[in-house]
Amino acid sequence: MSELDSRRWRELYRPGLDESLVDRRTTLVDAWRARVDHGADRTAIAYFDATLSAREVDQMSDALGAALQDRGVGAGDRVGIHLQNIPQYAIALLALWKIGAAAVVLNPMYFGRELRLPVEDSGAVGIIATDRDAPAIRESVEGTDARWILSTSERDLQTRDDPRAFATDGSATPAPVDAADGDLLALVREFSGRTPVPVTVSPDDLALLTYTSGTTGPPKGAMNSHANVVAVSRSFADFAGVAAGDVVLAIAPLFHITGAVINATLALLGDTTLVFAGRFRPEVVLDASREHGVTYTIGSITAYNALMRLDQAGPEHFASVKTLYSGGAPIPPSTVDRFEERFGHYIHNGYGMTETTSGVIAVPPGLRAPVDESSGTLSIGVPLPGIDASVVGVDGREVPAGQQGELVLSGPQVVSGYWRNDEATASTMPGGRLHTGDVAVMDEAGWVYLVDRLKDQINASGYKVWPREVEDALYEHDAVFEAAVVGLPDEYRGEKVVAFVSLKAGRTAPEDELISFAATRLAAYKRPTEVHVIGELPK
């Protein structure tokens, strides 16, 4: 990096911002109210042909909060949200925060045991979901503390009938509409004009419970507090130059920490317009970007690859864009170059984890990430204000600049621990410092490069896949004797899930049959794209 770039980065870093990041008086409710007071009539949400002002969103979330209290939801309770990127997601988040409850963000591709685990572990008292998924969810969570399912439709709040935006992908069979426990927008209308009974909300209270495989073992609930979410929303918005009047496109799914915090919450708290377009479909996102004049977004590199595959995509679709970010998976330098050549915009790298409440390391706007000469790895950026990043050796001591070690992080963005899992908290966050499990190099100028992972976790399209879970699914096939799952490089996904299996004596099973078998038991991104049947697994 040149001396000019280095000086510019240090100016952008602005250490003085740290004090505002650790303001323990601020909650998400306070921050939202400040936004409404500042510009109640400015657009807060856009969804196809519909717009909602900050005042309207505030009133709708007030009504929903009052309705949830009427249903018995109180401070400290957890409520699952099983939705795609639609306005009701934002309204539900605000409603829960106003009544002192927390959102358990649930992957809407999850059903059966994948869904039951976080619902049961969190003790969620209810679930907000799309009407078509309600019957399958009800069956999945039977016997848990989730007593009700509040349903809504992705077609609500707008009038444009666009089959591209609402088609199902076959991962879950559509079911009849189910609103037996109540329709979300019907409740909003019923409780219109009412406000929730006031509750005291603390910055340390739980705002989001986000389940992650983390660096080891089965999914664990990372406890993202109000203070965590405010810290990241403010620091990333300031760092990325997102300002009042900007238009933020929700590409990253809101059930992922990136989408929930540095897409949605960043926009909601920052006097900007948050654009929803449903589940990611590249052609729909492309149209939304041009129609609404998007200025900022962050998505996985898989999403950008999908946009590049559209023949109709051109610079005109990104004419209003100021800054693009990508997070969740490594970016090959060649991909960044191809995107910039075609669309005229450089994709800035970003890095974060569920345990850091999303992005805490990123490339400053206007700068280009350097490439590590020894590994060919594109830098993930520099630490954001408030985050303390270091690279340590096996002895736990910080290594000199340019040497490899484990990336360790601390700061107001890092969660206090895992939900009801002291053992995992102590193991991953000893002394309050998060051991990421990522092997990194930090150079003298502060640029960070990820070069490896200490653990076996697979990163497919920005989603974390624990090999053991895929192996367990394959073991349910009565012909499988042994199974081993690995991640292999993939130009589109970053990594793909590949399985190697040996079969029981005298049994046969075609590879495509094993792929289909696993597909019935796993979410789409966890399914092996390849299965290789071999005589015996190496020992």
Side-chain angles (χ1 to χ4, degrees):
M1 172 165 97
S2 71
E3 288 300 316
L4 177 62
D5 285 344
S6 179
R7 287 196 300 272
R8 185 177 179 190
W9 169 70
R10 295 181 194 283
E11 291 173 359
L12 286 169
Y13 187 86
R14 285 180 290 173
L17 183 62
D18 291 5
E19 295 181 6
S20 68
L21 294 178
V22 294
D23 183 350
R24 307 303 294 172
R25 297 169 296 175
T26 302
T27 69
L28 289 160
V29 180
D30 295 331
W32 166 253
R33 285 175 178 154
R35 185 255 166 94
V36 176
D37 291 343
H38 184 67
D41 295 320
R42 288 198 281 273
T43 301
I45 288 176
Y47 184 51
F48 296 100
D49 59 347
T51 59
L52 296 172
S53 70
R55 188 192 310 278
E56 290 172 316
V57 174
D58 191 47
Q59 292 170 343
M60 293 175 76
S61 57
D62 271 349
L64 180 58
L68 291 173
Q69 284 182 331
D70 186 69
R71 190 167 287 239
V73 181
D77 283 340
R78 283 81 55 206
V79 173
I81 302 181
H82 188 275
L83 296 173
Q84 296 288 353
N85 287 15
I86 58 177
Q88 295 92 311
Y89 209 128
I91 293 166
L93 286 175
L94 291 169
L96 291 171
W97 294 337
K98 287 178 177 181
I99 64 174
V104 184
V105 291
L106 301 170
N107 189 329
M109 293 182 281
Y110 280 6
F111 297 93
R113 63 184 180 186
E114 288 180 310
L115 176 60
R116 186 181 182 87
L117 188 151
V119 171
E120 193 166 42
D121 185 71
S122 68
V125 298
I127 298 172
I128 298 172
T130 49
D131 44 19
R132 70 165 182 269
D133 291 335
I137 293 171
R138 193 182 306 280
E139 181 179 348
S140 300
V141 303
E142 184 179 0
T144 70
D145 293 335
R147 301 184 300 273
W148 47 264
I149 300 172
L150 194 60
S151 64
T152 191
S153 171
E154 295 174 341
R155 295 179 182 272
D156 287 339
L157 296 176
Q158 56 85 45
T159 60
R160 187 178 301 165
D161 188 14
D162 188 344
R164 303 172 307 166
F166 306 111
T168 61
D169 65 350
S171 61
T173 303
V177 169
D178 184 335
D181 298 332
D183 176 83
L184 186 149
L185 292 183
L187 282 178
V188 167
R189 290 190 292 271
E190 180 184 344
F191 284 76
S192 177
R194 293 175 57 177
T195 58
V197 176
V199 298
T200 300
V201 180
S202 162
D204 292 324
D205 285 347
L206 185 64
L208 300 172
L209 192 56
T210 47
Y211 279 80
T212 173
S213 292
T215 55
T216 57
K220 303 177 288 293
M223 299 187 294
N224 307 106
S225 69
H226 282 250
N228 292 148
V229 179
V230 169
V232 176
S233 298
R234 286 181 169 175
S235 63
F236 206 94
D238 188 88
F239 185 88
V242 181
D246 273 333
V247 180
V248 177
L249 177 60
I251 286 183
L254 267 65
F255 63 82
H256 191 283
I257 194 67
T258 300
V261 177
I262 55 176
N263 256 176
T265 310
L266 174 152
L268 290 170
L269 303 186
D271 198 12
T272 69
T273 299
L274 177 60
V275 178
F276 286 110
R279 179 175 181 170
F280 176 80
R281 288 178 171 80
E283 65 278 9
V284 177
V285 164
L286 194 70
D287 290 346
S289 178
R290 181 165 59 178
E291 177 180 359
H292 296 288
V294 168
T295 61
Y296 159 88
T297 193
I298 181 168
S300 71
I301 195 60
T302 306
Y304 291 112
N305 281 333
L307 293 173
M308 282 197 287
R309 289 188 173 185
L310 297 177
D311 292 337
Q312 69 270 34
E316 65 275 12
H317 292 96
F318 301 89
S320 56
V321 167
K322 297 195 305 185
T323 315
L324 297 177
Y325 273 90
S326 179
I331 308 177
S334 59
T335 300
V336 174
D337 292 341
R338 289 200 305 271
F339 190 95
E340 185 177 23
E341 181 179 351
R342 181 168 173 184
F343 299 116
H345 288 282
Y346 179 79
I347 300 174
H348 297 75
N349 230 333
Y351 169 88
M353 301 174 66
T354 304
E355 293 88 343
T356 65
T357 321
S358 74
V360 292
I361 297 174
V363 177
L367 299 188
R368 305 178 72 86
V371 177
D372 179 54
E373 294 181 359
S374 61
S375 64
T377 301
L378 193 68
S379 172
I380 58 172
V382 296
L384 266 67
I387 198 75
D388 178 26
S390 60
V391 178
V392 304
V394 293
D395 59 359
R397 297 181 179 179
E398 192 167 347
V399 301
Q403 291 191 16
Q404 293 185 11
E406 183 179 12
L407 181 63
V408 178
L409 304 169
S410 62
Q413 299 93 329
V414 177
V415 300
S416 61
Y418 296 111
W419 177 256
R420 296 176 179 171
N421 196 331
D422 293 340
E423 182 179 353
T425 299
S427 173
T428 306
M429 305 169 207
R433 292 179 61 78
L434 173 65
H435 288 249
T436 65
D438 288 317
V439 179
V441 170
M442 184 183 294
D443 66 21
E444 293 183 354
W447 291 100
V448 181
Y449 307 83
L450 291 189
V451 295
D452 204 348
R453 280 195 299 278
L454 295 177
K455 312 300 179 182
D456 294 331
Q457 190 184 75
I458 301 167
N459 192 334
S461 299
Y463 299 120
K464 307 302 187 288
V465 181
W466 188 244
R468 176 65 180 272
E469 186 175 7
V470 184
E471 293 165 1
D472 287 347
L474 288 167
Y475 273 121
E476 292 182 17
H477 193 288
D478 59 10
V480 172
F481 176 62
E482 293 177 308
V485 171
V486 299
L488 295 181
D490 182 84
E491 183 177 353
Y492 183 68
R493 298 178 180 86
E495 284 187 306
K496 59 184 176 182
V497 180
V498 178
F500 296 85
V501 302
S502 63
L503 304 178
K504 297 175 182 176
R507 301 298 301 273
T508 60
E511 294 173 350
D512 57 354
E513 176 187 320
L514 294 172
I515 292 174
S516 299
F517 180 83
T520 64
R521 287 160 170 77
L522 298 166
Y525 67 89
K526 296 180 183 178
R527 300 168 188 169
T529 58
E530 300 175 17
V531 173
H532 301 279
V533 177
I534 58 179
E536 182 181 0
L537 293 183
K539 306 294 194 294

